[in-house]
Amino acid sequence: MTARQRTRHELNNLLGKIMGAAELALDRVRDPAARAELQLMIRCAEKAARLLDRDTAAKAHERA
Amino acid sequence: MLKAGSAEVLIVDDDVELLRQLAFAFVRAGHEVRCAVDGEKALAKFDAAPPDAVVIDLIMPVREGIETIMAMRARRPEAKILAISGGLRRSPETFLNMALRLGADAMLAKPFLPSEAVAAVRRLVGARADDAAA
């Protein structure tokens, strides 16, 4: 595994834990404003994962 | 005896925080959970009491996920295995695709929500119940 792949793997692990923590917290939180913040965390983490994918694909394309 | 719709799930990941999150989500969904932090410990638990489904990370110390999946598949061809990993999600040449070719039944790319893993296992275990009924 290259250094770049390792970094991507670690970032995806971290994003997964952010999403997981937010979803598990959503189960316990009833306050609408707090729920909205947790949902925003999930959306942002998902968007970050998509950007990471796109960046990795672009780098692979550049090398090809 | 487990209640209808629940399953015994073995979750394998060297990241103990992720392991805890997944275990919590599966237990909350009504499943029984065992955990392992590497492939070797997972195989020991798999052999001791075969679970209904395995959720396994691919990149781990001691024994890699793919090697562990192949060993589980060799022991129990009917095992239901969900591979998870944090590699590139859209590339055809990922560890996840390799895992599918070498024995996993389904894959889930990190990051994902715990509920997505629960739903994926529910689909796998449901598929096994369908096989048994046929």
Side-chain angles (χ1 to χ4, degrees):
Chain A
M1 188 185 278
T2 65
R4 178 176 291 277
Q5 286 171 327
R6 204 169 300 122
T7 300
R8 187 179 67 217
H9 183 258
E10 286 304 314
L11 283 173
N12 280 329
N13 273 342
L14 291 170
L15 290 170
K17 286 191 280 190
I18 291 170
M19 290 167 60
E23 189 185 51
L24 295 178
L26 271 172
D27 275 355
R28 302 172 191 166
V29 172
R30 293 288 159 260
D31 175 62
R35 290 181 64 80
E37 298 297 345
L38 291 167
Q39 283 157 348
L40 177 62
M41 278 173 64
I42 292 174
R43 287 199 304 277
C44 287
E46 287 172 339
K47 186 172 182 184
R50 285 195 298 275
L51 287 172
L52 187 59
D53 259 9
R54 220 173 290 161
D55 177 68
T56 308
K59 289 282 187 305
H61 185 72
E62 281 170 17
R63 282 197 302 273
Chain B
M1 175 74 104
L2 290 172
K3 61 180 182 280
S6 71
E8 291 179 0
V9 184
L10 175 60
I11 307 173
V12 192
D13 201 306
D14 61 317
D15 186 326
V16 291
E17 291 164 337
L18 187 69
L19 202 57
R20 179 186 55 76
Q21 288 182 341
L22 288 176
F24 186 88
F26 274 93
V27 167
R28 194 175 169 84
H31 301 295
E32 288 198 358
V33 169
R34 284 179 290 152
C35 295
V37 294
D38 62 54
E40 199 164 292
K41 291 186 176 72
L43 266 186
K45 292 188 176 185
F46 185 88
D47 287 339
D52 295 310
V54 179
V55 178
I56 183 167
D57 189 28
L58 297 182
I59 299 168
M60 293 185 296
V62 184
R63 188 191 273 263
E64 288 278 354
I66 289 177
E67 186 189 347
T68 307
I69 289 169
M70 291 169 71
M72 289 175 172
R73 183 60 72 212
R75 287 159 160 85
R76 291 187 66 224
E78 74 278 18
K80 292 297 180 188
I81 302 173
L82 172 67
I84 59 175
S85 188
L88 183 59
R89 299 187 297 174
R90 289 180 300 182
S91 164
E93 282 311 315
T94 62
F95 287 123
L96 283 170
N97 280 303
M98 199 186 301
L100 275 185
R101 285 200 301 274
L102 295 173
D105 295 291
M107 63 181 187
L108 201 50
K110 294 177 183 176
F112 54 78
L113 293 167
S115 60
E116 293 179 282
V118 172
V121 164
R122 193 170 288 143
R123 283 193 295 274
L124 285 182
V125 174
R128 194 187 60 176
D130 291 345
D131 292 346

